[in-house]
Amino acid sequence: MSWKLFLLLLEAARLTVILSVVSIGVIGFLLATGVCAANMSQNRFARGAGWLFVSFFRGTPLLVQLLLIYYLLPSIGLDVPSEVAAVAGMSLCTAAYQAEIMRGGFAAVPTGLVEAADMAGMSRLTTFRRIRLPIAFKLTLPGLINEWIMMLKSSSLVSVVGVVELTRMAQDLAASTYRPLELYAAAGFIYLCISIVVALVGRGLEARLSWGRL
Amino acid sequence: MGAAMKFDFSLILASAPDILRGIGVTLFIWVVCVALGLALGFLIAVARRYGGRVANAVLFVPVEVIRGTPFLVQVFLLYYGGPLIGLSLDNLPAGIIALSVYAAAYYSELWRAGFDAIPKGHLEAADCVGMGPVQTMTRIMLPEMTTLILPAMVNMTILMLKETAILSIISVPELTLTVSALGTQNYAFVESFTVLALIYWALVEACGGAGRWAERRLAKYRFA
């Protein structure tokens, strides 16, 4: 395979990375904190809504979610580029998964620590900020990194709604050069490299958070 | 808005027999791929554990490559790249092979975690009472492991049900392809994809319920 083709793939991989960072790392993450807060709240309706959200977006294939959003947006009068539908679909889906991971993290914070903070006279907000949040963050990090890698790979599905990211570029080039074997192998190799980088960064973050084993 | 928002589900529901056939194909692919994936994954885990350092190193690479690349790219590689190396497959067998191999890589890691979780003492005890390797496997290791890794197995198995939707992209006539075709025929995309999402949702919730039931049933065998 020529360098020119590989460079085209790399160029498209940039869009894969941008889409992933925006939808998984930023929008999906923020949405997930909101959903997680709803799931842990005292309000029954908030909990119900959070449960419904998580159940639906974890219970349906991302491909179907993307297709639904892609056709739903124009039918309610929102004519947006397919990249927006892709980001919306990925963000909603990953938010459901990340919210569940976060909830698991908060549930795993030892109650003794929270009680001790209470005894020491910390307010609920201070306990949350100084005890529950940092410990839950540390506990959820491995799960979140795992989810980011899974979702990064799932971003290949946005090729179906016409976003020319890495997979779609490989598809287009394979069709025009009749060399599917090399192109899909190269695309897979690039995905593998990105996954490894994310995993290594995650490993580094976890090592930096190795204070206070629980 | 307003005039554009007119959803008509009757067109979709009139095609219930087609949808049922699609559900049948999806469930068939799912069951076959989960069964093959579990079996192949088990063999990989056993080979990596008991096959010496070489087998472990040789199997490490494909397992990590499959786990590190998107399933869609793997399907494309097999289905469109296969014929160039003399591996011409129809879409259904190509889809089943790709999904089974994909599943095997993930299941093998779960089996491996299961092997790691069995206390050494139990194996020594089995040895002491005169059990052979096969008996130790079937009577001690498998039951103990199964209860421990069941939640993760259920999770992966549910994931597999959703992954089958990706096979629609290489035109395997499963649920997603069937319902998308209905959407195109009737020019009712939103309705058909809504119905599609609801069907998957119901299937996944049912599968999750079955998994929780199995976990409760097997809870009495749990030792840790």
Side-chain angles (χ1 to χ4, degrees), chain B residues 18-42:
Chain B
D18 290 332
I19 297 178
L20 283 177
R21 205 170 312 124
I23 293 177
V25 175
T26 285
L27 291 180
F28 168 76
I29 294 171
W30 179 50
V31 169
V32 170
C33 292
V34 166
L36 288 175
L38 277 171
L40 188 60
F42 183 72

PDB file of all heavy atoms in Angstrom, chain B residues 18-42:
ATOM      1  N   ASP B  18     -42.483 -10.068   8.568  1.00  0.00           N
ATOM      2  CA  ASP B  18     -41.094  -9.807   8.173  1.00  0.00           C
ATOM      3  C   ASP B  18     -40.237  -9.503   9.394  1.00  0.00           C
ATOM      4  O   ASP B  18     -39.112  -9.990   9.520  1.00  0.00           O
ATOM      5  CB  ASP B  18     -41.019  -8.605   7.220  1.00  0.00           C
ATOM      6  CG  ASP B  18     -41.610  -8.939   5.866  1.00  0.00           C
ATOM      7  OD1 ASP B  18     -41.560 -10.133   5.501  1.00  0.00           O
ATOM      8  OD2 ASP B  18     -42.121  -8.032   5.199  1.00  0.00           O
ATOM      9  N   ILE B  19     -40.793  -8.683  10.299  1.00  0.00           N
ATOM     10  CA  ILE B  19     -40.034  -8.302  11.488  1.00  0.00           C
ATOM     11  C   ILE B  19     -39.748  -9.534  12.340  1.00  0.00           C
ATOM     12  O   ILE B  19     -38.632  -9.716  12.824  1.00  0.00           O
ATOM     13  CB  ILE B  19     -40.804  -7.234  12.300  1.00  0.00           C
ATOM     14  CG1 ILE B  19     -40.957  -5.963  11.456  1.00  0.00           C
ATOM     15  CG2 ILE B  19     -40.093  -6.926  13.604  1.00  0.00           C
ATOM     16  CD1 ILE B  19     -41.736  -4.861  12.124  1.00  0.00           C
ATOM     17  N   LEU B  20     -40.755 -10.405  12.475  1.00  0.00           N
ATOM     18  CA  LEU B  20     -40.556 -11.618  13.272  1.00  0.00           C
ATOM     19  C   LEU B  20     -39.459 -12.484  12.668  1.00  0.00           C
ATOM     20  O   LEU B  20     -38.633 -13.054  13.385  1.00  0.00           O
ATOM     21  CB  LEU B  20     -41.868 -12.413  13.375  1.00  0.00           C
ATOM     22  CG  LEU B  20     -42.882 -11.833  14.359  1.00  0.00           C
ATOM     23  CD1 LEU B  20     -44.173 -12.640  14.327  1.00  0.00           C
ATOM     24  CD2 LEU B  20     -42.299 -11.825  15.778  1.00  0.00           C
ATOM     25  N   ARG B  21     -39.454 -12.570  11.325  1.00  0.00           N
ATOM     26  CA  ARG B  21     -38.399 -13.356  10.670  1.00  0.00           C
ATOM     27  C   ARG B  21     -37.033 -12.737  10.969  1.00  0.00           C
ATOM     28  O   ARG B  21     -36.064 -13.440  11.229  1.00  0.00           O
ATOM     29  CB  ARG B  21     -38.652 -13.424   9.157  1.00  0.00           C
ATOM     30  CG  ARG B  21     -38.023 -14.646   8.526  1.00  0.00           C
ATOM     31  CD  ARG B  21     -38.473 -14.836   7.065  1.00  0.00           C
ATOM     32  NE  ARG B  21     -39.906 -14.726   6.898  1.00  0.00           N
ATOM     33  CZ  ARG B  21     -40.496 -13.865   6.057  1.00  0.00           C
ATOM     34  NH1 ARG B  21     -39.769 -13.043   5.324  1.00  0.00           N
ATOM     35  NH2 ARG B  21     -41.801 -13.821   5.958  1.00  0.00           N
ATOM     36  N   GLY B  22     -36.983 -11.399  10.921  1.00  0.00           N
ATOM     37  CA  GLY B  22     -35.726 -10.710  11.236  1.00  0.00           C
ATOM     38  C   GLY B  22     -35.266 -10.991  12.659  1.00  0.00           C
ATOM     39  O   GLY B  22     -34.087 -11.247  12.898  1.00  0.00           O
ATOM     40  N   ILE B  23     -36.223 -10.972  13.594  1.00  0.00           N
ATOM     41  CA  ILE B  23     -35.880 -11.286  14.986  1.00  0.00           C
ATOM     42  C   ILE B  23     -35.327 -12.703  15.069  1.00  0.00           C
ATOM     43  O   ILE B  23     -34.330 -12.967  15.757  1.00  0.00           O
ATOM     44  CB  ILE B  23     -37.118 -11.138  15.907  1.00  0.00           C
ATOM     45  CG1 ILE B  23     -37.548  -9.670  15.986  1.00  0.00           C
ATOM     46  CG2 ILE B  23     -36.828 -11.665  17.311  1.00  0.00           C
ATOM     47  CD1 ILE B  23     -38.803  -9.433  16.801  1.00  0.00           C
ATOM     48  N   GLY B  24     -35.970 -13.617  14.314  1.00  0.00           N
ATOM     49  CA  GLY B  24     -35.505 -15.008  14.313  1.00  0.00           C
ATOM     50  C   GLY B  24     -34.065 -15.113  13.848  1.00  0.00           C
ATOM     51  O   GLY B  24     -33.242 -15.795  14.474  1.00  0.00           O
ATOM     52  N   VAL B  25     -33.737 -14.422  12.739  1.00  0.00           N
ATOM     53  CA  VAL B  25     -32.368 -14.485  12.212  1.00  0.00           C
ATOM     54  C   VAL B  25     -31.387 -13.896  13.229  1.00  0.00           C
ATOM     55  O   VAL B  25     -30.321 -14.467  13.491  1.00  0.00           O
ATOM     56  CB  VAL B  25     -32.263 -13.745  10.859  1.00  0.00           C
ATOM     57  CG1 VAL B  25     -30.823 -13.714  10.373  1.00  0.00           C
ATOM     58  CG2 VAL B  25     -33.154 -14.407   9.826  1.00  0.00           C
ATOM     59  N   THR B  26     -31.769 -12.749  13.827  1.00  0.00           N
ATOM     60  CA  THR B  26     -30.893 -12.124  14.825  1.00  0.00           C
ATOM     61  C   THR B  26     -30.639 -13.069  15.999  1.00  0.00           C
ATOM     62  O   THR B  26     -29.495 -13.258  16.422  1.00  0.00           O
ATOM     63  CB  THR B  26     -31.535 -10.812  15.334  1.00  0.00           C
ATOM     64  OG1 THR B  26     -31.377  -9.817  14.320  1.00  0.00           O
ATOM     65  CG2 THR B  26     -30.877 -10.324  16.611  1.00  0.00           C
ATOM     66  N   LEU B  27     -31.706 -13.697  16.501  1.00  0.00           N
ATOM     67  CA  LEU B  27     -31.537 -14.599  17.647  1.00  0.00           C
ATOM     68  C   LEU B  27     -30.700 -15.814  17.259  1.00  0.00           C
ATOM     69  O   LEU B  27     -29.859 -16.278  18.038  1.00  0.00           O
ATOM     70  CB  LEU B  27     -32.909 -15.047  18.185  1.00  0.00           C
ATOM     71  CG  LEU B  27     -33.727 -13.944  18.862  1.00  0.00           C
ATOM     72  CD1 LEU B  27     -35.059 -14.495  19.345  1.00  0.00           C
ATOM     73  CD2 LEU B  27     -32.965 -13.320  20.020  1.00  0.00           C
ATOM     74  N   PHE B  28     -30.907 -16.312  16.018  1.00  0.00           N
ATOM     75  CA  PHE B  28     -30.119 -17.455  15.545  1.00  0.00           C
ATOM     76  C   PHE B  28     -28.631 -17.101  15.522  1.00  0.00           C
ATOM     77  O   PHE B  28     -27.789 -17.815  16.070  1.00  0.00           O
ATOM     78  CB  PHE B  28     -30.594 -17.865  14.143  1.00  0.00           C
ATOM     79  CG  PHE B  28     -29.673 -18.835  13.453  1.00  0.00           C
ATOM     80  CD1 PHE B  28     -29.655 -20.173  13.824  1.00  0.00           C
ATOM     81  CD2 PHE B  28     -28.830 -18.402  12.435  1.00  0.00           C
ATOM     82  CE1 PHE B  28     -28.804 -21.066  13.194  1.00  0.00           C
ATOM     83  CE2 PHE B  28     -27.976 -19.291  11.800  1.00  0.00           C
ATOM     84  CZ  PHE B  28     -27.967 -20.630  12.177  1.00  0.00           C
ATOM     85  N   ILE B  29     -28.302 -15.961  14.897  1.00  0.00           N
ATOM     86  CA  ILE B  29     -26.902 -15.535  14.810  1.00  0.00           C
ATOM     87  C   ILE B  29     -26.324 -15.355  16.208  1.00  0.00           C
ATOM     88  O   ILE B  29     -25.205 -15.791  16.507  1.00  0.00           O
ATOM     89  CB  ILE B  29     -26.792 -14.201  14.033  1.00  0.00           C
ATOM     90  CG1 ILE B  29     -27.209 -14.395  12.578  1.00  0.00           C
ATOM     91  CG2 ILE B  29     -25.370 -13.650  14.110  1.00  0.00           C
ATOM     92  CD1 ILE B  29     -27.337 -13.104  11.817  1.00  0.00           C
ATOM     93  N   TRP B  30     -27.125 -14.752  17.070  1.00  0.00           N
ATOM     94  CA  TRP B  30     -26.666 -14.482  18.436  1.00  0.00           C
ATOM     95  C   TRP B  30     -26.319 -15.774  19.163  1.00  0.00           C
ATOM     96  O   TRP B  30     -25.223 -15.917  19.715  1.00  0.00           O
ATOM     97  CB  TRP B  30     -27.764 -13.707  19.175  1.00  0.00           C
ATOM     98  CG  TRP B  30     -27.483 -13.360  20.585  1.00  0.00           C
ATOM     99  CD1 TRP B  30     -26.357 -12.751  21.067  1.00  0.00           C
ATOM    100  CD2 TRP B  30     -28.326 -13.592  21.715  1.00  0.00           C
ATOM    101  NE1 TRP B  30     -26.463 -12.582  22.420  1.00  0.00           N
ATOM    102  CE2 TRP B  30     -27.658 -13.085  22.851  1.00  0.00           C
ATOM    103  CE3 TRP B  30     -29.591 -14.160  21.880  1.00  0.00           C
ATOM    104  CZ2 TRP B  30     -28.213 -13.145  24.129  1.00  0.00           C
ATOM    105  CZ3 TRP B  30     -30.139 -14.209  23.153  1.00  0.00           C
ATOM    106  CH2 TRP B  30     -29.451 -13.708  24.255  1.00  0.00           C
ATOM    107  N   VAL B  31     -27.270 -16.742  19.132  1.00  0.00           N
ATOM    108  CA  VAL B  31     -27.055 -17.998  19.867  1.00  0.00           C
ATOM    109  C   VAL B  31     -25.832 -18.735  19.309  1.00  0.00           C
ATOM    110  O   VAL B  31     -24.956 -19.179  20.059  1.00  0.00           O
ATOM    111  CB  VAL B  31     -28.320 -18.884  19.784  1.00  0.00           C
ATOM    112  CG1 VAL B  31     -28.021 -20.281  20.305  1.00  0.00           C
ATOM    113  CG2 VAL B  31     -29.449 -18.257  20.583  1.00  0.00           C
ATOM    114  N   VAL B  32     -25.749 -18.816  17.975  1.00  0.00           N
ATOM    115  CA  VAL B  32     -24.627 -19.547  17.371  1.00  0.00           C
ATOM    116  C   VAL B  32     -23.302 -18.881  17.733  1.00  0.00           C
ATOM    117  O   VAL B  32     -22.339 -19.548  18.143  1.00  0.00           O
ATOM    118  CB  VAL B  32     -24.800 -19.610  15.829  1.00  0.00           C
ATOM    119  CG1 VAL B  32     -23.532 -20.136  15.165  1.00  0.00           C
ATOM    120  CG2 VAL B  32     -25.982 -20.491  15.471  1.00  0.00           C
ATOM    121  N   CYS B  33     -23.243 -17.558  17.606  1.00  0.00           N
ATOM    122  CA  CYS B  33     -21.975 -16.857  17.844  1.00  0.00           C
ATOM    123  C   CYS B  33     -21.580 -16.885  19.320  1.00  0.00           C
ATOM    124  O   CYS B  33     -20.395 -17.006  19.636  1.00  0.00           O
ATOM    125  CB  CYS B  33     -22.048 -15.413  17.354  1.00  0.00           C
ATOM    126  SG  CYS B  33     -22.166 -15.299  15.576  1.00  0.00           S
ATOM    127  N   VAL B  34     -22.577 -16.797  20.213  1.00  0.00           N
ATOM    128  CA  VAL B  34     -22.248 -16.874  21.640  1.00  0.00           C
ATOM    129  C   VAL B  34     -21.717 -18.271  21.970  1.00  0.00           C
ATOM    130  O   VAL B  34     -20.700 -18.415  22.662  1.00  0.00           O
ATOM    131  CB  VAL B  34     -23.484 -16.532  22.513  1.00  0.00           C
ATOM    132  CG1 VAL B  34     -23.251 -16.934  23.959  1.00  0.00           C
ATOM    133  CG2 VAL B  34     -23.777 -15.045  22.433  1.00  0.00           C
ATOM    134  N   ALA B  35     -22.380 -19.313  21.425  1.00  0.00           N
ATOM    135  CA  ALA B  35     -21.939 -20.682  21.709  1.00  0.00           C
ATOM    136  C   ALA B  35     -20.521 -20.905  21.172  1.00  0.00           C
ATOM    137  O   ALA B  35     -19.634 -21.392  21.886  1.00  0.00           O
ATOM    138  CB  ALA B  35     -22.915 -21.684  21.085  1.00  0.00           C
ATOM    139  N   LEU B  36     -20.302 -20.517  19.896  1.00  0.00           N
ATOM    140  CA  LEU B  36     -18.971 -20.698  19.309  1.00  0.00           C
ATOM    141  C   LEU B  36     -17.939 -19.855  20.045  1.00  0.00           C
ATOM    142  O   LEU B  36     -16.817 -20.307  20.302  1.00  0.00           O
ATOM    143  CB  LEU B  36     -18.988 -20.318  17.820  1.00  0.00           C
ATOM    144  CG  LEU B  36     -19.719 -21.280  16.881  1.00  0.00           C
ATOM    145  CD1 LEU B  36     -19.749 -20.708  15.463  1.00  0.00           C
ATOM    146  CD2 LEU B  36     -19.028 -22.635  16.870  1.00  0.00           C
ATOM    147  N   GLY B  37     -18.320 -18.623  20.375  1.00  0.00           N
ATOM    148  CA  GLY B  37     -17.390 -17.721  21.062  1.00  0.00           C
ATOM    149  C   GLY B  37     -16.999 -18.249  22.429  1.00  0.00           C
ATOM    150  O   GLY B  37     -15.819 -18.210  22.810  1.00  0.00           O
ATOM    151  N   LEU B  38     -17.990 -18.774  23.167  1.00  0.00           N
ATOM    152  CA  LEU B  38     -17.700 -19.324  24.492  1.00  0.00           C
ATOM    153  C   LEU B  38     -16.748 -20.509  24.378  1.00  0.00           C
ATOM    154  O   LEU B  38     -15.773 -20.605  25.122  1.00  0.00           O
ATOM    155  CB  LEU B  38     -19.002 -19.780  25.167  1.00  0.00           C
ATOM    156  CG  LEU B  38     -19.824 -18.717  25.879  1.00  0.00           C
ATOM    157  CD1 LEU B  38     -21.171 -19.296  26.293  1.00  0.00           C
ATOM    158  CD2 LEU B  38     -19.080 -18.188  27.094  1.00  0.00           C
ATOM    159  N   ALA B  39     -17.045 -21.405  23.416  1.00  0.00           N
ATOM    160  CA  ALA B  39     -16.222 -22.612  23.277  1.00  0.00           C
ATOM    161  C   ALA B  39     -14.806 -22.257  22.831  1.00  0.00           C
ATOM    162  O   ALA B  39     -13.815 -22.686  23.438  1.00  0.00           O
ATOM    163  CB  ALA B  39     -16.877 -23.563  22.275  1.00  0.00           C
ATOM    164  N   LEU B  40     -14.718 -21.456  21.777  1.00  0.00           N
ATOM    165  CA  LEU B  40     -13.395 -21.074  21.260  1.00  0.00           C
ATOM    166  C   LEU B  40     -12.626 -20.264  22.297  1.00  0.00           C
ATOM    167  O   LEU B  40     -11.419 -20.451  22.490  1.00  0.00           O
ATOM    168  CB  LEU B  40     -13.581 -20.267  19.967  1.00  0.00           C
ATOM    169  CG  LEU B  40     -12.337 -19.921  19.163  1.00  0.00           C
ATOM    170  CD1 LEU B  40     -11.625 -21.193  18.740  1.00  0.00           C
ATOM    171  CD2 LEU B  40     -12.708 -19.106  17.927  1.00  0.00           C
ATOM    172  N   GLY B  41     -13.343 -19.381  22.991  1.00  0.00           N
ATOM    173  CA  GLY B  41     -12.702 -18.577  24.031  1.00  0.00           C
ATOM    174  C   GLY B  41     -12.153 -19.450  25.148  1.00  0.00           C
ATOM    175  O   GLY B  41     -11.062 -19.206  25.663  1.00  0.00           O
ATOM    176  N   PHE B  42     -12.905 -20.503  25.487  1.00  0.00           N
ATOM    177  CA  PHE B  42     -12.450 -21.423  26.526  1.00  0.00           C
ATOM    178  C   PHE B  42     -11.174 -22.132  26.078  1.00  0.00           C
ATOM    179  O   PHE B  42     -10.200 -22.227  26.839  1.00  0.00           O
ATOM    180  CB  PHE B  42     -13.549 -22.445  26.833  1.00  0.00           C
ATOM    181  CG  PHE B  42     -13.201 -23.386  27.948  1.00  0.00           C
ATOM    182  CD1 PHE B  42     -13.173 -22.936  29.259  1.00  0.00           C
ATOM    183  CD2 PHE B  42     -12.894 -24.711  27.688  1.00  0.00           C
ATOM    184  CE1 PHE B  42     -12.849 -23.794  30.294  1.00  0.00           C
ATOM    185  CE2 PHE B  42     -12.565 -25.574  28.721  1.00  0.00           C
ATOM    186  CZ  PHE B  42     -12.534 -25.115  30.018  1.00  0.00           C
TER     187      PHE B  42
END
